Structures are given as structure tokens and as C-alpha cells.
Amino acid sequence: MKFMKHRLIVIGFGNQGEWHYENIRDRIPEIEVVGAYDIRPERAEVIEKCGLKSFSSAEDAYACKEADIVLIATPNNFHKEYSISAMRAGKNVVCEKPVCMNTAELDEVLKVSEETGRIFTVHQNRRWDADYRVVKNIIEQNLIGKPYYIDSRLFGCKGLPGDWRSAKVSGGGMMYDWSVHLLDQMIDLIHSRPVSVFVDAVNVRFPEVDDCNKILVRFENGVSYQIVVDSWCYIGENRWHISGDDGTAVVPIWGGTEGKVVKANIKEIGWEEGFVFTANGRSSTMAPRPIENLKEFSPPVPELPKWEEFYKNFVAAVEGRAELAISHEENRLVMQVLDACFRSMESGKAEKVF
């Protein structure tokens, strides 16, 4: 298949920037990475060992006439500045998440995108995670009826690295690092207007930023969506737990496709048909249904899109053949919810999104 060859420059050649280079090189034939710039002088040698041109500054990189795409993979507080400069230099931009530090910054970036006619998008790669795709299919196929509680949880036990991710000024903390991914999944999944946000965030190791957070988002359609990100947890829970008015579903493993759906095959059941006994009393409301009244099955695994589709879609958008898979409206809504999260962290109360 013939295609137009695009050339890309990486701004910020750290772990994430180098990952993009390696995966574009190996998996995206439409794009050739031709150079990179990193503010740390010692990274120039790494860039050159990769066979890339090492630029002396971002401005030097933007002046490269053969490149039409710039990838921004710097600390979060530089995303706005580099994105705007690249577009004003005539480049299309892929920016790592979070797109910016807040909605106001994003609005500045989107205004320049419109003024220059350059394509701008955000690398929200977790929309392609297999576990998320299974959950999305469960809801779209109405396998458990209308969801009312959704728990999206991710656990690690290494904590934040002690680099820029631990500093507030650079956009450190798990809210910017991981919760923004799960918020993006949420916006893609729930087609309703978010109303309010409450956040419980804690500082375990680093005093300036959150190591762990719990986010509760309420939607106009009645869904309560909880996100839990814990970087100091040694015993995790199911990656997903979804309660619907016609069943319950779990998907236990991040990146996995296995799960379980349980539904009642008899909707109404007499209260007198069972009790649960404990040492301190009995209960009928919490008594389990008889096993013969339940139906259990594994959720179907949909056709799983590949991560390559992100860049292929971006190329198609640059060439005028497609709309962006991750829209500006979605990115803006994620940032509006994120802004409300930070307001809730400050106030200790639920905050309205709008």
C-alpha cells in the first residue's frame, strides 16, 4: 500500500519520548522519526545512538523543514508552550497527556490550532487497553442493563518516581499521571454530562503532590463513577466493577480480557426464601439468591483495536481523510473534570464541573 511519508521530531527524549520513537519506528510505517531535542545535554548522545539528529533547542527542531509532525513528551507544565510554538512553526502536534495543566491552557492551544490550521491531538493511549474495550462492549451491548455504579481502579506499589513527577510546579502527582487516563476512558464511556466531582487524595511520600486519589463523579443520567488510583497498595482489587440494574460485571486484570457477568434469571424473589446468618444476627436483604436463580457467563471479547490506530488516525487527519479519534471536545471535557478535581482537593467538598 502506498502512503505519504510523514516525518516527526520528538521534543523531550526521556522514557516516554524514547518509547514513542521505538514504537513509531517499528509499528507505524507512515511516519519516520528524524530527530529529537531534550533539555538535558546528556540525552543528546542517546538521541544520536538511535540514529536521529540531536537538535540544540526546540526552536532549532521546529526549523527542520523536512519534519511536519512534532511529538511533545516533556514534563506536563511545558505542554502548552511547546505545542503552541510548534504549531506556529507550521508543525502538526501530538502531545502526551495530560494535554495541559488546566482548561484555560488547553483553550489557548486549541485557538492556535484553529488559527494555524495545524492538527493537534493528545496521546490518550489507554482507550486502546483491552480491559477497557471489554467493559465498553459490556455497556454498549446492554449486558447488565443500565449501569448505576462503575468502579475503575488501578493499583501499584512502587510509588511515584522522585523526579519531576513529584513536584507540583511541573504537574506531578497521580492525578496528572494516571487519573487523567481513567478520566478520559470515563468521558469516552459515559455519554452524559458530568455534574459534580468529589476527590479524596493523600500524600504518602511526596508532600507537594498526591500519591493516591479517589474520585467520585456523578452524571446527569444517574451514573456514579468512581476512579481509584493508588501507587502504594500491595493488595489490589478488580480493575473494573460495574453494577447495572440487570446484572453485575467484573474485569479483574489491567490489560486482560477475562471477566465475569452475573445476572438473575428470575427478577422477583420472595423475601422469605432465604436468610444469611452471622454471629450477631440474621438478614434477608443481604442473603444470596439461590444459585439456580442466577446466570453467570464470561463477557464477550470484542475485536480489539491496536494502538497503531492512534497514529494512523492522526496521519489520516493531517491528510484530511478523517476526523480525530480523540476530539477536542472530549479533551476539553476531561480537563474541565480535572479542574473540578483539583478544586475538590483544595476545598475538601464536592465541586460542580460547570
Side-chain angles (χ1 to χ4, degrees), residues 74-79 96-102 105 160-161 163-180 208-210 213 335 338 342 345:
T74 64
N76 302 330
N77 57 318
F78 294 112
H79 288 181
E96 259 299 337
K97 60 79 203 167
V99 56
C100 288
M101 297 286 281
N102 52 55
E105 286 193 356
L160 282 166
D163 55 9
W164 62 265
R165 293 174 184 83
S166 64
K168 184 176 181 179
V169 67
S170 57
M174 293 307 293
M175 186 67 71
Y176 280 126
D177 191 59
W178 257 104
S179 297
V180 70
E208 291 188 6
V209 299
D210 62 299
N213 60 66
M335 291 310 299
L338 194 63
F342 283 111
M345 288 170 66

Side-chain angles (χ1 to χ4, degrees), residues 2-217:
K2 293 184 179 180
F3 47 77
M4 184 187 303
K5 193 76 168 183
H6 296 268
R7 291 174 174 83
L8 179 147
I9 291 171
V10 181
I11 303 295
F13 206 71
N15 289 336
Q16 197 67 12
E18 191 169 358
W19 183 90
H20 275 274
Y21 154 67
E22 292 172 349
N23 283 272
I24 292 170
R25 177 196 63 196
D26 297 340
R27 301 162 67 180
I28 312 295
E30 297 91 338
I31 300 176
E32 177 187 1
V33 181
V34 295
Y37 164 68
D38 195 283
I39 196 171
R40 297 164 295 178
E42 64 271 19
R43 294 298 291 176
E45 183 178 353
V46 178
I47 293 169
E48 290 170 355
K49 282 185 176 179
C50 292
L52 305 175
K53 177 177 175 55
S54 178
F55 293 97
S56 60
S57 67
E59 292 72 25
D60 185 28
Y62 301 152
C64 177
K65 294 182 179 180
E66 64 174 329
D68 63 325
I69 301 172
V70 167
L71 166 71
I72 310 298
T74 64
N76 302 330
N77 57 318
F78 294 112
H79 288 181
K80 183 193 83 167
E81 173 190 341
Y82 282 130
S83 295
I84 288 175
S85 298
M87 287 188 289
R88 291 206 183 283
K91 310 302 184 186
N92 302 293
V93 173
V94 176
C95 184
E96 259 299 337
K97 60 79 203 167
V99 56
C100 288
M101 297 286 281
N102 52 55
T103 307
E105 286 193 356
L106 175 58
D107 285 344
E108 291 184 56
V109 171
L110 296 182
K111 182 179 179 181
V112 173
S113 174
E114 183 176 359
E115 289 174 353
T116 61
R118 297 300 90 191
I119 302 299
F120 175 84
T121 196
V122 185
H123 184 238
Q124 284 287 9
N125 52 314
R126 296 304 168 185
R127 289 196 190 188
W128 282 262
D129 281 359
D131 57 278
Y132 170 67
R133 288 292 174 163
V134 171
V135 167
K136 187 176 176 68
N137 189 62
I138 289 171
I139 293 176
E140 289 179 346
Q141 297 300 316
N142 197 37
L143 297 184
I144 59 171
K146 179 183 177 182
Y148 56 90
Y149 281 152
I150 298 178
D151 285 320
S152 170
R153 302 176 289 217
L154 199 61
F155 300 93
C157 60
K158 293 175 66 178
L160 282 166
D163 55 9
W164 62 265
R165 293 174 184 83
S166 64
K168 184 176 181 179
V169 67
S170 57
M174 293 307 293
M175 186 67 71
Y176 280 126
D177 191 59
W178 257 104
S179 297
V180 70
H181 275 308
L182 306 191
L183 288 171
D184 179 71
Q185 290 179 341
M186 177 189 77
I187 294 302
D188 185 52
L189 189 63
I190 307 301
H191 301 147
S192 180
R193 185 179 172 91
V195 175
S196 64
V197 173
F198 176 74
V199 175
D200 182 14
V202 297
N203 312 88
V204 178
R205 181 182 177 193
F206 297 106
E208 291 188 6
V209 299
D210 62 299
D211 299 274
C212 318
N213 60 66
K214 295 183 178 182
I215 306 170
L216 178 62
V217 183

